[in-house]
Amino acid sequence: MNAFTALTRLATAGCLAVTVVAAPFAAVAADYPTKPITLVIPFPPGGATDVLGRVIGLRLGQELGQPVVVENRAGAGTVIGAAYVAKAPADGYTLLVSSGTTFTVNPAIRHNLPYDPVKSFDPIGITGRTSLILLANKDVPVTTVKQFVDYVKAAPGKYAYGSYGSGTTAQFAGETVLYAAGLKMTHVPYKGSAPAMTDLMGGQIPFSIDTVSAAIPQLKSGKIKAIAVTAAKRSALLPNVPTMAESGYPDIDMDTWLILAAPKGLPTDVKARLEKALATTMADADTRAKLVAQGFEPAYSNAAASAALINRELPVMRALAVRANITAD
């Protein structure tokens, strides 16, 4: 046997060895899923993200042919649940549904995160969005953005606005509005939408930034007033409420979105299977109706578009955090 023949046989043997190892893996990917899937929600039970996650999870399980079991791992502004998923095996059996808080807000305001928003996750797709909205107490003499700006400018630093927490998208939206309009206001962070809404209705704070989903019941009752949404386009749930862009501030575009993601490194076949199942789930009329009932606008985007959104929003949020001195550390 000459040297060339020996090397050829070794190379061939090596390829066969790789084939033997790779074949079971490919089979696993092709058969996925063969057991229940855990869907981690990094918020407490009963909240908007929890409700949406359960609606999505139920239909997703039907599409995949396996139960999707919801597991709430709340705490530290979604860090606990997100870190858990980031460290899980990248096999498609542990998924995460979370908001921009996980992917663009925490990286902007927290140091030494136990996960990386880009390197730790494979986005599967966006599952829904809800606009953020500038609200006023019903007795405040403000109904338009111009009136709001004039009212606050007349007494710099006198007025406050509330949000559902320090370092949340609501605070980021509020600071974006203040910066764009050249206003000075005090931010009052609450531990959730409910206490912020209670104080807004009671007149303890004149203004607030919240999600459309949280505001709709109180708007319908006439207890608060809507001034404008901070997204680029009007909310389908409140079509008569203008945007900040329509009101003279074209650079303001901020809303809350939810993404289904998996640990980084999903097998290609598994990722494709999940993405297809999510696309079908989001096209289901019953599922969409349930999301709308919870104040979410069904807004599916595929994996590539979801990753692009995170990459696009990250530097914006980081710059805003520095400018407004928003930090959670």
Side-chain angles (χ1 to χ4, degrees):
M1 180 188 301
N2 60 35
F4 178 79
T5 303
L7 287 173
T8 301
R9 289 183 177 178
L10 284 172
T12 302
C15 290
L16 289 173
V18 171
T19 302
V20 169
V21 172
F25 181 80
V28 169
D31 293 342
Y32 171 86
T34 59
K35 62 181 181 179
I37 297 165
T38 297
L39 179 62
V40 174
I41 298 177
F43 293 95
T49 303
D50 178 66
V51 173
L52 181 142
R54 291 174 186 275
V55 170
I56 296 295
L58 179 63
R59 189 71 178 88
L60 195 66
Q62 293 170 356
E63 285 299 316
L64 294 171
Q66 288 288 342
V68 173
V69 181
V70 171
E71 185 174 316
N72 295 92
R73 287 183 174 264
T78 80
V79 172
I80 291 175
Y84 174 81
V85 174
K87 296 172 183 176
D91 55 10
Y93 290 100
T94 304
L95 305 176
L96 172 76
V97 63
S98 191
S99 64
T101 299
T102 295
F103 301 96
T104 62
V105 173
N106 282 339
I109 64 174
R110 297 176 185 270
H111 297 94
N112 302 317
L113 275 179
Y115 66 85
D116 183 280
V118 175
K119 297 178 181 179
S120 298
F121 301 100
D122 272 331
I124 305 302
I126 293 174
T127 61
R129 309 181 82 116
T130 182
S131 295
L132 293 161
I133 186 169
L134 175 61
L135 304 164
N137 173 272
K138 62 181 178 59
D139 296 324
V140 175
V142 167
T143 57
T144 68
V145 172
K146 185 180 185 305
Q147 291 173 351
F148 164 74
V149 172
D150 291 344
Y151 186 76
V152 175
K153 276 189 174 180
K158 176 180 178 180
Y159 301 110
Y161 79 92
S163 79
Y164 47 77
S166 180
T168 61
T169 49
Q171 184 186 5
F172 274 78
E175 295 302 322
T176 299
V177 170
L178 298 188
Y179 180 79
L183 304 177
K184 292 184 178 180
M185 297 178 74
T186 301
H187 172 235
V188 181
Y190 289 82
K191 292 183 178 180
S193 290
M197 196 65 70
T198 297
D199 275 9
L200 179 65
M201 291 187 294
Q204 282 75 27
I205 51 173
F207 303 103
S208 181
I209 297 275
D210 214 316
T211 62
V212 165
S213 55
I216 282 179
Q218 312 309 332
L219 288 171
K220 288 182 176 179
S221 70
K223 295 178 181 179
I224 57 175
K225 293 186 290 188
I227 299 175
V229 295
T230 62
K233 63 180 182 178
R234 296 191 182 198
S235 168
L237 305 175
L238 294 172
N240 295 324
V241 179
T243 67
M244 288 295 300
E246 290 174 321
S247 306
Y249 300 92
D251 293 332
I252 295 180
D253 178 11
M254 189 172 294
D255 64 358
T256 294
W257 38 265
L258 294 171
I259 281 183
L260 179 70
K264 194 74 170 183
L266 274 184
T268 303
D269 289 353
V270 172
K271 186 173 181 179
R273 180 87 171 88
L274 283 168
E275 190 173 358
K276 181 180 179 181
L278 182 61
T280 304
T281 293
M282 295 307 300
D284 177 67
D286 183 58
T287 298
R288 294 173 69 86
K290 289 177 180 177
L291 297 184
V292 170
Q294 293 299 322
F296 281 92
E297 297 179 43
Y300 171 73
S301 294
N302 64 20
S306 302
L309 172 64
I310 294 171
N311 285 317
R312 184 171 64 249
E313 195 168 291
L314 263 172
V316 174
M317 302 300 263
R318 282 172 169 149
L320 179 56
V322 171
R323 187 175 69 217
N325 193 30
I326 304 173
T327 180
D329 292 331

